[in-house]
Amino acid sequence: MHISEGILSGPVLGTGMAVAAIGTAVGLKRLDYDHIARAGVLSAAFFVASLVHVPIGPANVHLLLNGLVGLFLGWGAFPVILTALILQAVLFQFGGITTLGVNTAAMAVPAVIVRYAFGPLIWKRPPVAQAAAFACGFGAVLLGAVLVGLALIFTGQEFLEVTGIIMAAHLPVMVIEGVITLFAVAFLKKVQPALLPGYCARPVDDTPEGKNEIDTP
Amino acid sequence: MRSTPLDLIRPRRLYFVLVAALLATAGWPTPCLAHRVTIFAWVDGDTVYTQSRFSGGRAAKNGDITVFDAGGKQLLTGKTDAAGEFSFKLPSRKGLRIVLNAGMGHRNEWVLSADDLDRTSGGGTAEKRPAGTRPAPPLIRVPASTALTREDIQSIVDESLDKRLKPMMKLIAELRNDSPSVSDILGGIGYIIGLVGLAAYIQNRKRR
């Protein structure tokens, strides 16, 4: 999902940059001291995730992990994804410098949406919670495919066709990311629930770590 | 006790983080596989060969190739085959820009400058002759080879070099694997750690 240089028109690039800039500003504002280390870890994870190639399906696709980043950080996903994309563009030549804005928006907007759509549900009863965690990973890639399709619409390609191709190519990734997010949430609930959003809504348990409070952004 | 960024660096958790990181690294099937498309083109005689691949070596099948001349005029279009290859007759010697669009926003290009085209075709003066018309074999037997002109020698050398270099060019195309190296990956992670440190420092100063 890295759009290369030289494909998109000026207005699309400009819109992407504007969205990315606003999102990054909001994200940085909300990224307080307590979330910095987490943001760094997630940025590193996002940075290397695109090297994990999924050899299923027709196209050449890789993991994104934007759902996971969004779930843990909300608006913080913008600066985290932007940082990782800059490094990927410079070091791996994935995507491009002019398309940074569009690529950031295409991956961070879904991250924020799934966070607010499904994030609160992960503290419900197991079937609902599991479905919500899966939907976080699955939905973020799905929405990302739609946004990339939207960005490419102005290049003269048919929106439904392009989006269909991108979605078909990313279907295995959606499922894999859904499962990864499902397990990550289940694991963190046991080990370090304070890392998950909306934790303070839970009754405090009596281990010293359990009393950690987390200000949700 | 509030949760702080340093939570991750407490000994017990550091252990978990390290184990997780090691597992993740070991689990990478092939760290070089990734999502970026490259195109490489070379000239052999009067044919241009192109090879298109995703980094990691997978062929870019069915990609759209568009060839422009130095002035930006579109000369021809085509599609890559199952091996990601596409070849065409050299339409002009004044420089070519070969653009590959592999779909889903993946695009790259390769420029053959007029210089490249000139050299590989044996220079402007010595036009390459078709193989059958070369008068060399009978002449070579003549001891005083006054009849063997400069152009003849050049064309013989060019032809034989073309033949010899073809596998080499293919090999170079194969070896052009510019997927991320381990040092790129570690460098990127290093940058992120540095940024985290910087952000923590700034936030910490703000809090005082």
Side-chain angles (χ1 to χ4, degrees):
Chain A
M1 273 205 206
H2 296 78
I3 301 179
S4 314
E5 310 249 16
I7 286 191
L8 301 175
S9 59
V12 177
L13 291 174
T15 313
M17 275 177 203
V19 173
I22 294 168
T24 307
V26 175
L28 281 178
K29 208 151 191 222
R30 296 194 177 191
L31 200 63
D32 56 10
Y33 188 70
D34 295 341
H35 288 81
I36 289 174
R38 195 178 313 170
V41 170
L42 286 167
S43 192
F46 186 91
F47 173 70
V48 293
S50 64
L51 298 170
V52 181
H53 168 89
V54 179
I56 314 168
N60 207 48
V61 290
H62 54 77
L63 293 185
L64 289 174
L65 296 186
N66 57 341
L68 205 63
V69 173
L71 182 63
F72 291 149
L73 286 174
W75 283 92
F78 271 95
V80 159
I81 288 175
L82 178 64
T83 310
L85 283 177
I86 291 174
L87 290 169
Q88 285 178 348
V90 172
L91 295 171
F92 303 164
Q93 285 84 47
F94 289 179
I97 299 295
T98 54
T99 54
L100 267 179
V102 173
N103 286 337
T104 304
M107 289 185 251
V109 169
V112 176
I113 291 176
V114 294
R115 152 69 177 253
Y116 288 102
F118 303 114
L121 298 178
I122 60 169
W123 293 109
K124 300 266 189 245
R125 248 165 285 168
V128 180
Q130 283 162 0
F134 183 85
C136 264
F138 190 93
V141 181
L142 184 97
L143 289 172
V146 174
L147 287 178
V148 170
L150 264 181
L152 290 173
I153 192 173
F154 299 107
T155 59
Q157 287 169 293
E158 207 51 53
F159 170 66
L160 283 177
E161 196 189 324
V162 173
T163 313
I165 292 172
I166 298 174
M167 278 198 195
H170 283 84
L171 198 63
V173 176
M174 291 178 204
V175 174
I176 290 170
E177 299 226 346
V179 173
I180 289 176
T181 315
L182 176 66
F183 280 108
V185 169
F187 177 72
L188 285 174
K189 266 187 183 174
K190 284 193 197 124
V191 178
Q192 183 82 353
L195 282 177
L196 293 169
Y199 176 64
C200 50
R202 285 278 285 179
V204 176
D205 55 36
D206 36 8
T207 57
E209 263 96 354
K211 293 206 180 83
N212 287 353
E213 266 187 17
I214 189 97
D215 359 10
T216 47
Chain B
M1 192 170 79
R2 282 174 65 80
S3 121
T4 71
L6 295 180
D7 267 5
L8 278 172
I9 335 179
R10 276 196 223 141
R12 201 157 46 106
R13 289 203 194 118
L14 186 64
Y15 175 74
F16 275 116
V17 170
L18 281 181
V19 169
L22 277 177
L23 282 178
T25 328
W28 285 346
T30 35
C32 58
L33 286 169
H35 214 182
R36 175 196 167 205
V37 77
T38 54
I39 179 167
F40 176 56
W42 70 97
V43 188
D44 182 18
D46 54 356
T47 309
V48 182
Y49 294 89
T50 71
Q51 194 182 60
S52 311
R53 292 190 310 191
F54 289 105
S55 61
R58 204 164 145 170
K61 297 171 201 163
N62 227 10
D64 287 315
I65 302 252
T66 319
V67 182
F68 299 95
D69 67 5
K73 200 173 75 130
Q74 185 177 324
L75 296 175
L76 59 105
T77 58
K79 275 196 182 293
T80 58
D81 63 9
E85 287 170 4
F86 175 69
S87 57
F88 55 92
K89 283 264 170 269
L90 195 58
S92 99
R93 296 206 184 274
K94 289 198 205 99
L96 293 176
R97 194 162 65 90
I98 303 164
V99 176
L100 164 74
N101 193 336
M104 293 204 293
H106 295 108
R107 178 189 177 280
N108 214 326
E109 61 181 48
W110 183 266
V111 176
L112 287 168
S113 65
D115 232 21
D116 290 336
L117 297 172
D118 220 30
R119 215 179 309 133
T120 46
S121 62
T125 49
E127 266 315 329
K128 205 167 118 75
R129 296 180 191 190
T133 61
R134 194 200 315 149
L139 287 173
I140 281 173
R141 272 187 239 109
V142 180
S145 63
T146 44
L148 203 58
T149 61
R150 239 188 125 76
E151 283 76 25
D152 284 331
I153 296 173
Q154 184 151 30
S155 110
I156 296 168
V157 169
D158 276 350
E159 203 163 296
S160 126
L161 268 180
D162 273 353
K163 211 186 284 169
R164 290 287 165 86
L165 284 178
K166 199 172 176 186
M168 295 300 293
M169 292 310 283
K170 265 213 121 80
L171 191 67
I172 291 174
E174 297 290 322
L175 288 177
R176 260 180 49 86
N177 186 4
D178 32 15
S179 46
S181 66
V182 173
S183 54
D184 285 338
I185 298 166
L186 293 180
I189 293 172
Y191 267 106
I192 291 169
I193 294 173
L195 286 172
V196 167
L198 192 67
Y201 172 73
I202 292 168
Q203 289 271 2
N204 203 20
R205 278 184 55 143
K206 260 195 228 157
R207 295 212 303 185
R208 293 219 180 129

